Amino acid sequence: MATPDTRTQILDAAERLFAEHGYRGTSVRAITKLAGANLAAVGYHFGSKAELMAAVVRRVVEPITAAQCAGLDKLLARTPDPPVSELVEAFAGPLFDEMPAGDEGGARTSRLIVTILSDPAEEARSWTGPAEDSVRERYFAAFARVLPGLSPEELWFRMRGIFAVTAVERLQVHQQPSPGCVSPVAGEAARRWAITFLTAAMSASPPLT
Amino acid sequence: MATPDTRTQILDAAERLFAEHGYRGTSVRAITKLAGANLAAVGYHFGSKAELMAAVVRRVVEPITAAQCAGLDKLLARTPDPPVSELVEAFAGPLFDEMPAGDEGGARTSRLIVTILSDPAEEARSWTGPAEDSVRERYFAAFARVLPGLSPEELWFRMRGIFAVTAVERLQVHQQPSPGCVSPVAGEAARRWAITFLTAAMSASPPLT
DNA sequence: GTATGAATCAAACGAACGTATGAAAGAGGA
DNA sequence: TCCTCTTTCATACGTTCGTTTGATTCATAC
């Protein structure tokens, strides 16, 4: 197996370290050292640390967004009113599935996603683009159609809930468990649990008042 | 109104800045400047930046944990098998309610909680203590009793889900909304939506296989 | 061979960081 | 007033950070 070029090795190292220590907790020196590259290579290949982060995020998020989009297309081609459980699966499933090659069981990707979402760095706001917004709006419309009793505000609330559960769940898989707390389960079981949990939550009747 | 002492002003400023920019994104200089104190005051009153963060977290988390604990006591004094909805409310409610004085609508607290949970800094692991673990285990036992069909692993999964939804939800209230996405709602409505959403999720039958 | 462009390298820059120091200021009792 | 203890202050130390520079290496085309 041929060793990948410097640019790719930096992307791999950065993805791993950003996921483990966050954007601000990762130094360019640590990235280039892990990648076996020179310190100046980041500037040469990416321009700056922030642009490197943007490239890392793009590489991770794009296949997830594409899978979410394809899943919705497939669902809507069959029927305009798919079951809630299948909408949930099409939306949340790719967050469990889509992993770049070399990702150790999804650890890097999941931590990175949470890092993107929760990083208070100003740069983080621009790390996702219009494609992600578009997919989210299409799912919103589909959910609104099959859950007509919900106000738009409450539906957005619930969609954020889907994201919260999948993201935090996958994050905690790779943190040491708290004492007395059973270690989280990765893989197929967690995916099934999440779909069950979220389908019930999405299907709940809105509160009366 | 008398201006509080330097120590309190530093705590307030630190809570706000840590919540907005994370632990690593906040400098001691920024904290003391916002507090109107001298740079060396952090070292004098708290010893180090990490110990200041621990003091901030303690001040925020303690009333929440206490309220969760009291709510469970009250519930179990009535019946050993409370409804799931009331367990959910007792556990998640304080995350919406307990706010230190001066908190602008809970913004600082909520962001800080998410910052604690998601900060990749090693120091963050020790920011919560045994009291939080203890409360969580008591709720686990109560949920296990009224949801006998769930394996311990799946129940832990669902409890993490409760936390994920409340934390991320409250986080997003104070971020700018994505384009096309209705702005999140704070306060009583969000609380009611969360209880509904999470009660349904917790009550779901476990997946068959 | 040799010229050319991309890629890599060691080294250094200025800025910002957390922390430490010792003097100055203030409060309270003898 | 004088002494003592707490608190505040300006300042500096040593590190680490992201970035830049200019030379060097290397493959390829002439």
Side-chain angles (χ1 to χ4, degrees):
Chain A
M1 154 179 163
T3 64
D5 61 0
T6 301
R7 199 188 131 92
T8 303
Q9 288 193 259
I10 289 177
L11 273 174
D12 289 341
E15 182 180 315
R16 174 175 186 160
L17 292 177
F18 282 145
E20 282 174 8
H21 307 115
Y23 178 71
R24 302 195 118 115
T26 303
S27 70
V28 174
R29 283 171 173 82
I31 293 169
T32 52
K33 183 178 178 183
L34 179 61
N38 187 271
L39 172 61
V42 164
Y44 178 75
H45 286 283
F46 298 95
S48 69
K49 180 187 178 183
E51 290 172 279
L52 168 59
M53 179 53 149
V56 168
V57 171
R58 225 176 300 125
R59 195 177 64 156
V60 168
V61 168
E62 255 167 16
I64 292 176
T65 304
Q68 286 176 321
C69 195
L72 185 57
D73 287 340
K74 201 172 147 195
L75 232 54
L76 294 183
R78 183 150 56 77
T79 163
D81 297 295
V84 173
S85 65
E86 296 189 26
L87 274 174
V88 168
E89 174 133 29
F91 187 70
L95 292 167
F96 287 88
D97 298 337
E98 294 294 326
M99 305 290 155
D103 191 332
E104 309 90 351
R108 278 160 50 184
T109 301
S110 56
R111 256 225 87 105
L112 185 67
I113 290 173
V114 178
T115 299
I116 297 167
L117 282 174
S118 63
D119 202 305
E122 294 74 20
E123 296 93 331
R125 285 317 133 240
S126 60
W127 285 338
T128 58
E132 286 74 34
D133 294 334
S134 156
V135 166
R136 205 170 37 216
E137 281 168 44
R138 290 187 60 211
Y139 272 94
F140 175 83
F143 273 117
R145 193 179 155 88
V146 298
L147 295 169
L150 257 54
S151 69
E153 291 81 8
E154 191 169 359
L155 182 50
W156 277 121
F157 177 99
R158 294 193 179 185
M159 286 190 63
R160 284 193 296 272
I162 297 182
F163 211 89
V165 170
T166 55
V168 170
E169 194 55 47
R170 307 228 16 240
L171 166 64
Q172 305 237 356
V173 169
H174 310 289
Q175 284 185 359
Q176 89 238 6
S178 306
C181 167
V182 172
S183 182
V185 177
E188 195 50 34
R191 184 199 162 106
R192 212 162 48 235
W193 293 344
I195 306 295
T196 303
F197 184 88
L198 291 170
T199 299
M202 291 300 287
S203 308
S205 304
L208 292 179
T209 49
Chain B
M1 151 178 165
T3 64
D5 61 358
T6 302
R7 199 189 132 92
T8 303
Q9 289 193 257
I10 290 176
L11 273 174
D12 289 342
E15 181 180 317
R16 174 176 187 158
L17 292 177
F18 282 144
E20 282 173 8
H21 307 114
Y23 178 72
R24 300 196 120 113
T26 303
S27 69
V28 174
R29 283 170 173 82
I31 293 169
T32 51
K33 183 176 177 184
L34 179 62
N38 186 270
L39 171 61
V42 164
Y44 176 76
H45 286 284
F46 299 94
S48 68
K49 180 186 178 184
E51 291 171 278
L52 168 60
M53 179 52 147
V56 168
V57 171
R58 224 176 303 126
R59 195 178 62 157
V60 168
V61 168
E62 253 167 17
I64 294 177
T65 303
Q68 286 176 322
C69 195
L72 185 57
D73 287 339
K74 201 172 145 195
L75 231 53
L76 294 184
R78 183 151 53 78
T79 164
D81 298 295
V84 174
S85 65
E86 295 189 27
L87 275 173
V88 168
E89 174 132 29
F91 187 71
L95 292 167
F96 286 88
D97 298 335
E98 294 296 323
M99 304 291 156
D103 192 332
E104 308 90 351
R108 278 160 49 185
T109 302
S110 56
R111 256 224 87 106
L112 185 68
I113 290 173
V114 178
T115 299
I116 298 165
L117 282 175
S118 63
D119 202 304
E122 294 74 20
E123 296 93 332
R125 286 317 133 238
S126 59
W127 284 339
T128 58
E132 287 74 33
D133 295 334
S134 156
V135 167
R136 205 169 38 217
E137 281 167 45
R138 290 188 59 210
Y139 272 94
F140 175 82
F143 274 119
R145 193 179 155 89
V146 299
L147 296 169
L150 256 55
S151 68
E153 291 81 7
E154 191 169 359
L155 182 49
W156 278 122
F157 179 98
R158 293 192 180 186
M159 285 190 65
R160 284 194 296 273
I162 296 182
F163 212 89
V165 169
T166 55
V168 170
E169 193 56 46
R170 309 228 16 241
L171 165 65
Q172 303 236 356
V173 168
H174 310 289
Q175 284 184 1
Q176 87 239 3
S178 305
C181 167
V182 172
S183 182
V185 178
E188 195 48 35
R191 184 199 162 106
R192 212 163 46 235
W193 293 345
I195 306 296
T196 303
F197 183 89
L198 290 170
T199 298
M202 291 299 288
S203 308
S205 305
L208 291 180
T209 49

